[in-house]
Amino acid sequence: MQKYVCEPCGYIYDPADGDPDNGINPGTAFEDIPEDWVCPICGMGKDVFVPED
């Protein structure tokens, strides 16, 4: 699965890990995360994330 990077802070969302502290189970694709989810580091929305190269 594709990893995504938060451009402002560099946090990497890895679908294998998810974001369990914020209700995102491991194995959840970035596209399947609710639109109101925010970066756990800087609080920015999904719109600032880009696919990792």
Side-chain angles (χ1 to χ4, degrees):
M1 282 193 206
Q2 178 71 53
K3 294 180 183 179
Y4 281 78
V5 180
C6 180
E7 285 193 304
C9 77
Y11 169 79
I12 298 174
Y13 175 77
D14 184 344
D17 298 333
D19 182 17
D21 291 342
N22 292 296
I24 308 300
N25 292 324
T28 302
F30 186 78
E31 296 80 9
D32 296 333
I33 296 173
E35 290 303 314
D36 62 352
W37 177 81
V38 295
C39 175
I41 302 299
C42 71
M44 297 295 288
K46 284 180 68 177
D47 58 325
V48 300
F49 280 75
V50 296
E52 183 182 53
D53 290 333

